Amino acid sequence: MPAALVLGNGETYALLYELQRLGGHRLCNAAMDMGAVVVGVSAGAICLGLSAETALWKGRDMESPPNAPEAWAGHKDGMALVPTGFSVFVHDAEEHSGVVADRCGSLPGPLLTLTDEQHVSYVGGRQSVLDEDYEFLPHFYADDDAVEEDTGPPDALDGEG
């Protein structure tokens, strides 16, 4: 049984295209069913969400990988494997606040923004956002209609359950 499956960083749409072409969705689901941790780093985190559109917001990623068929152009769906059903914006910083505010309403669901010092985890179906010291942070989605606050570690992590 694998302990972890890591979806790495790089060109988001190239990674997403290859994951979909090679059955990455089935692989990720099978790994989770066996109890493995599925980790998304940068582009990998975006791929796990509802929409991969957030990768284009900073103007750095290509919308269509060079090896993708023409029909791939305009593809915006992520793998939708994030248990709480949201899209992910990574490497968030103050200079991105305008683009996030302007574009988050175009997404199919809520948006979770993560700085380079934060990551999100799921234990027992509960989502938590942690900082670089693994301290639990109250977090808010950029979409005001989907505000959710985290009150602390799940019981599985704090020894109370």
Side-chain angles (χ1 to χ4, degrees):
M1 170 174 74
L5 177 62
V6 178
L7 305 180
N9 58 340
E11 194 67 45
T12 304
Y13 279 88
L15 176 60
L16 184 59
Y17 173 71
E18 291 300 325
L19 285 168
Q20 291 185 349
R21 187 177 72 81
L22 299 170
H25 192 278
R26 287 188 311 278
L27 177 64
C28 289
N29 276 325
M32 289 187 291
D33 288 346
M34 291 188 292
V37 175
V38 176
V39 177
V41 178
S42 191
I46 294 171
C47 290
L48 291 172
L50 285 176
S51 174
E53 184 179 350
T54 61
L56 303 175
W57 290 2
K58 297 177 204 163
R60 296 181 195 153
D61 276 37
M62 297 181 300
E63 187 170 348
S64 184
N67 60 332
E70 200 171 306
W72 180 262
H75 184 87
K76 302 248 186 297
D77 295 338
M79 296 194 324
L81 292 176
V82 177
T84 51
F86 56 82
S87 299
V88 180
F89 183 81
V90 297
H91 310 299
D92 191 23
E94 190 173 322
E95 67 262 20
H96 304 128
S97 62
V99 72
V100 169
D102 290 345
R103 296 189 179 177
C104 70
S106 68
L107 297 171
L111 174 67
L112 177 65
T113 61
L114 296 171
T115 68
D116 288 341
E117 292 78 33
Q118 297 172 327
H119 69 275
V120 64
S121 67
Y122 300 92
V123 176
R126 182 163 170 217
Q127 167 191 314
S128 297
V129 176
L130 298 91
D131 66 13
E132 71 274 13
D133 296 321
Y134 297 94
E135 296 291 326
F136 285 84
L137 303 173
H139 67 280
F140 301 93
Y141 296 112
D143 180 348
D144 290 337
D145 293 334
V147 172
E148 179 179 318
E149 185 171 350
D150 186 2
T151 56
D155 292 342
L157 293 180
D158 68 9
E160 295 178 10

